[in-house]
């Protein structure tokens, strides 16, 4: 699966500067980050609706669309699926509740450092 994500990351990198008339990826990139964010919102909503309907094929298809558009956002910011996989690996074995508590603690710490300046 990692190979597929790597190949898809490479395709996105190649197509982002292609002719927007010939490439969907290039078209979204030419419209800017807001266009990518709008697509992510649309795909997230469609994924939720597919989940509510309970249709396995639609759930998979909409999740694929959501993942793809999320990869475009990553690419926009110079990131890739590998960065997300590294974060998931970092979290592996952690309790979700413990991980959320650690993030909240770090956020409070960062906020208090910002107030000290």
């Amino acid at each position: 699966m990692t190979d597929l994500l790597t190949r898809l990351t490479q395709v996105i990198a190649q197509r982002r500067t292609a002719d927007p008339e010939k490439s969907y990826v290039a078209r979204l990139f030419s419209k800017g980050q807001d266009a990518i964010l709008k697509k992510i919102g649309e795909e997230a909503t469609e994924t939720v609706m597919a989940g509510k309907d309970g249709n396995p094929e639609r759930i998979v298809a909409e999740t694929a669309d959501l993942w793809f558009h999320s990869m475009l956002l990553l690419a926009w910011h110079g990131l890739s699926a590998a960065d997300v996989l590294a974060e998931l690996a970092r979290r592996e074995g952690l309790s979700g509740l413990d991980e959320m508590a650690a993030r909240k603690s770090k956020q409070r710490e960062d906020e208090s450092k910002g107030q000290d300046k």
Side-chain angles (χ1 to χ4, degrees):
M1 182 179 342
T2 304
D3 290 343
L4 174 61
L5 291 173
T6 300
R7 288 192 310 271
L8 189 52
T9 297
Q10 292 168 348
V11 169
I12 290 168
Q14 292 166 353
R15 294 189 182 164
R16 71 183 285 176
T17 58
D19 181 352
E21 295 297 319
K22 297 181 181 177
S23 167
Y24 174 74
V25 170
R27 184 175 305 150
L28 275 180
F29 273 91
S30 73
K31 292 179 179 180
Q33 178 178 242
D34 285 349
I36 296 169
L37 294 172
K38 181 178 178 186
K39 283 303 294 181
I40 290 172
E42 290 172 11
E43 299 304 342
T45 299
E46 291 171 3
T47 302
V48 169
M49 291 167 46
K52 291 291 278 180
D53 291 343
N55 180 321
E57 293 83 15
R58 293 302 315 145
I59 293 168
V60 169
E62 295 303 341
T63 300
D65 289 346
L66 179 58
W67 286 13
F68 175 78
H69 289 90
S70 295
M71 289 183 71
L72 295 182
L73 178 63
L74 290 168
W76 180 269
H77 289 280
L79 302 166
S80 72
D83 296 303
V84 176
L85 292 174
E87 175 62 13
L88 290 171
R90 184 191 69 76
R91 295 180 187 185
E92 187 175 16
L94 294 176
S95 157
L97 296 175
D98 291 344
E99 201 278 331
M100 285 189 324
R103 269 192 281 153
K104 286 181 182 178
S105 176
K106 182 173 179 354
Q107 183 180 6
R108 283 191 299 272
E109 181 181 308
D110 291 346
E111 288 171 356
S112 70
K113 285 181 184 176
Q115 291 175 356
D116 292 344
K117 292 182 180 181

